[in-house]
Amino acid sequence: MSGDGDPRDADETFQVLLADGSRFSGPVVDLRDRPERPPRRALVDAVRAGGPVPTDSPAIHAPAPGPAHAHVALLTAEAGIDRRSALAAVAAARGVETGHDGSLTAARRALRDAPSAPVEAAELREARRRAAEVGTETERLRERVATIRGRVTALRDAEATDATAEALAAAEASLSETMRRLSEVATERIAAEERLSLLTARARSVRDRRAARLRLQDRVGNEERAVRAARVAAVEDDFATARRRVIAGMDAGPGEDRTPTDEPEALADALAAARLAPVRAPVIVAPDVVARLGGAEATAALLAAPLVIC
């Protein structure tokens, strides 16, 4: 079953394949009469998938969705959009260029190329612990050397006896061993301090690079906001015109007495964005919205987009 209007060229047609094997094509596919219609969200997912889908899900073979499609993929009576984000996407889809595009590209390139070489915090902590440990041991051994050296001096000055000679020999041996150990620990201390110095310098460099990356991220964010604002400004007038056209195309419906200003603002925004964007991937539209717009043909003509009515 295809729609009752064909406002698009033949090369804009798409195909819908349902889980039961039914196949439909058109610029407009109307599923309102299907006894078991697929969930609208499943149809939206099928449009975005653009490839193989689970066998129990619908498949849609159509052009890939553009940047604006995410904002207008599903149009129901409760539909709404983030107007600024949608207008920025519409402008991007329409190829709007801004004076900030070059700066944004440069900022993103700089951020992408910014080096990042983090130092493991545990590695730095271990280096600090080891440097402190060997530093403490070095000072302890120096104090012990001084103590033993004083004892050796005292024994050498004492009256020579067998006991004194034995004590002096023991003290000199202890001094020699302690000085040997002090030399080893002093060497370990130098190595530990050099490693700590290296890791500290590397960590400082990493912090500097991290700060530079944060500045670049801020720069990218600022340029993105500037681009978005310029894009929104570029299409605001066209959006207002499209919105007026959409509201004018809304039918009051049987038994209702509405003026255009009574129409749901959020739905009008979504429909205007869909009309304004160069949408080539199908948009899923609820039957009540189609009815408000005067039928499938009028909806397709108003939105100038391929439609699945479900």
Side-chain angles (χ1 to χ4, degrees), residues 13 16 56 87 201-202 298:
T13 61
V16 177
D56 58 348
L87 290 190
R202 191 183 301 172

Side-chain angles (χ1 to χ4, degrees), residues 1-4 18 20 24 29-38 287 309-310:
M1 180 189 302
S2 62
D4 53 359
L18 300 184
D20 63 6
F24 308 88
V29 171
D30 191 341
L31 301 178
R32 285 178 290 185
D33 294 334
R34 295 290 302 172
E36 294 185 6
R37 290 179 291 178
I309 304 172
C310 180

Side-chain angles (χ1 to χ4, degrees), residues 2-5 7 28 30 32 290-291 293-302 307 309:
S2 62
D4 53 359
V28 177
D30 191 341
R32 285 178 290 185
V290 172
L293 295 175
E297 183 175 357
T299 301
L302 180 68
L307 307 178
I309 304 172

Side-chain angles (χ1 to χ4, degrees), residues 50-129:
V53 296
T55 55
D56 58 348
S57 300
I60 295 181
H61 303 288
H69 193 272
H71 300 275
V72 298
L74 178 60
L75 299 174
T76 66
E78 299 78 25
I81 59 173
D82 180 325
R83 183 182 291 188
R84 287 185 62 81
S85 295
L87 290 190
V90 167
R94 295 178 67 168
V96 171
E97 297 181 351
T98 79
H100 300 275
D101 293 347
S103 298
L104 176 57
T105 299
R108 284 174 171 169
R109 184 183 301 114
L111 179 59
R112 184 186 65 242
D113 296 341
S116 177
V119 172
E120 292 291 340
E123 187 179 15
L124 184 57
R125 285 197 301 270
E126 174 59 22
R128 286 174 177 156
R129 184 199 65 77

Side-chain angles (χ1 to χ4, degrees), residues 84 88 98 100-101 103-105 107-108 111 217-231:
R84 287 185 62 81
T98 79
H100 300 275
D101 293 347
S103 298
L104 176 57
T105 299
R108 284 174 171 169
L111 179 59
Q217 289 171 353
D218 288 343
R219 178 183 163 194
V220 168
N222 290 337
E223 295 295 346
E224 286 176 342
R225 284 186 286 274
V227 167
R228 185 181 301 112
R231 284 177 174 168

Side-chain angles (χ1 to χ4, degrees), residues 7-282:
R8 316 290 288 191
D9 295 333
D11 61 358
E12 296 292 344
T13 61
F14 62 94
Q15 290 189 336
V16 177
L17 179 63
L18 300 184
D20 63 6
S22 301
R23 186 182 297 270
F24 308 88
S25 65
V28 177
V29 171
D30 191 341
L31 301 178
R32 285 178 290 185
D33 294 334
R34 295 290 302 172
E36 294 185 6
R37 290 179 291 178
R40 294 178 189 136
R41 182 52 59 184
L43 291 170
V44 172
D45 292 342
V47 173
R48 291 174 177 169
V53 296
T55 55
D56 58 348
S57 300
I60 295 181
H61 303 288
H69 193 272
H71 300 275
V72 298
L74 178 60
L75 299 174
T76 66
E78 299 78 25
I81 59 173
D82 180 325
R83 183 182 291 188
R84 287 185 62 81
S85 295
L87 290 190
V90 167
R94 295 178 67 168
V96 171
E97 297 181 351
T98 79
H100 300 275
D101 293 347
S103 298
L104 176 57
T105 299
R108 284 174 171 169
R109 184 183 301 114
L111 179 59
R112 184 186 65 242
D113 296 341
S116 177
V119 172
E120 292 291 340
E123 187 179 15
L124 184 57
R125 285 197 301 270
E126 174 59 22
R128 286 174 177 156
R129 184 199 65 77
R130 180 57 181 162
E133 183 179 78
V134 294
T136 299
E137 180 66 4
T138 299
E139 294 306 316
R140 186 187 72 79
L141 289 172
R142 282 176 177 168
E143 291 177 0
R144 178 163 174 76
V145 165
T147 300
I148 298 173
R149 183 174 284 127
R151 177 174 173 77
V152 167
T153 299
L155 288 170
R156 286 174 177 170
D157 293 339
E159 181 180 354
T161 63
D162 290 344
T164 301
E166 184 178 342
L168 177 59
E172 287 176 338
S174 178
L175 177 61
S176 177
E177 174 61 23
T178 304
M179 290 183 67
R180 184 192 64 78
R181 178 57 185 153
L182 174 60
S183 178
E184 292 176 351
V185 173
T187 300
E188 292 176 10
R189 180 179 186 178
I190 291 172
E193 289 177 345
E194 287 178 348
R195 176 168 175 74
L196 177 59
S197 178
L198 175 64
L199 291 179
T200 300
R202 191 183 301 172
R204 187 180 303 111
S205 177
V206 168
R207 286 195 298 270
D208 292 343
R209 287 199 292 268
R210 185 179 296 119
R213 286 184 65 87
L214 289 174
R215 289 193 295 271
L216 283 172
Q217 289 171 353
D218 288 343
R219 178 183 163 194
V220 168
N222 290 337
E223 295 295 346
E224 286 176 342
R225 284 186 286 274
V227 167
R228 185 181 301 112
R231 284 177 174 168
V232 170
V235 298
E236 275 183 324
D237 291 345
D238 289 344
F239 177 74
T241 300
R243 196 173 188 281
R244 288 192 294 269
R245 175 67 182 84
V246 164
I247 291 176
M250 284 184 175
D251 180 72
E256 295 185 5
D257 182 18
R258 292 187 180 181
T259 63
T261 56
D262 294 325
E263 299 300 342
E265 180 176 344
L267 176 59
D269 283 353
L271 291 171
R275 175 179 172 81
L276 190 59
V279 177
R280 299 188 62 220

